[in-house]
Amino acid sequence: QVQLDESGGGLVQAGGSLRLSCAASGRTFSSYTMGWFRQAPGKEREFVATITWSGGYRTYYVDSVKGRFTISRDNAKNTVYLQMNSLKPEDTAVYYCAAVRGSYYPASASSEYDYWGQGTQVTVSS
């Protein structure tokens, strides 16, 4: 079992930055592929980014955030991060952290993940 706890959301102006954190419980965090998803009001949950646990920490992003968002992980701290720069109003959503044991690339479908956090709200004003 893995429990995930997101933090770092908030209100920011367009063009600003936020860093989301996802703290995971469990001693085997390093063997999990991690992902970030988001869900805007009235829309389906959307893949944002993923990072593997081995093989050089391979990353993969949805096209709309490439060059603006960076996913990273610190296995010593059992934490995965999502650095979000040049934020746009269309980035407004609840952001969710997700985990699946093993190394999958790219794990871009929500059905691939077994564990989910409660979400953190990100609001970007124009």
Side-chain angles (χ1 to χ4, degrees):
Q1 284 283 350
V2 173
Q3 290 186 316
L4 304 173
D5 184 21
E6 304 100 332
S7 62
L11 174 63
V12 64
Q13 289 188 333
S17 298
L18 284 174
R19 189 177 79 156
L20 304 183
S21 299
C22 173
S25 65
R27 294 178 292 177
T28 59
F29 172 78
S30 60
S31 63
Y32 282 77
T33 293
M34 303 297 297
W36 286 98
F37 289 75
R38 64 186 180 186
Q39 188 166 18
K43 295 187 177 181
E44 294 187 354
R45 191 168 295 188
E46 174 191 36
F47 166 77
V48 176
T50 184
I51 185 168
T52 62
W53 69 272
S54 65
Y57 297 156
R58 298 176 72 185
T59 59
Y60 183 77
Y61 301 89
V62 67
D63 285 347
S64 60
V65 308
K66 285 180 181 177
R68 300 189 298 122
F69 290 12
T70 302
I71 187 171
S72 61
R73 66 191 296 161
D74 184 339
N75 288 341
K77 296 182 178 179
N78 279 14
T79 301
V80 63
Y81 305 97
L82 186 67
Q83 178 66 45
M84 304 186 296
N85 299 329
S86 302
L87 282 161
K88 304 175 180 179
E90 51 263 44
D91 295 318
T92 295
V94 177
Y95 283 70
Y96 296 91
C97 176
V100 58
R101 187 163 188 173
S103 190
Y104 303 95
Y105 183 82
S108 59
S110 59
S111 59
E112 296 181 82
Y113 291 85
D114 295 323
Y115 304 100
W116 293 83
Q118 293 299 307
T120 184
Q121 177 70 48
V122 172
T123 302
V124 185
S125 62
S126 57

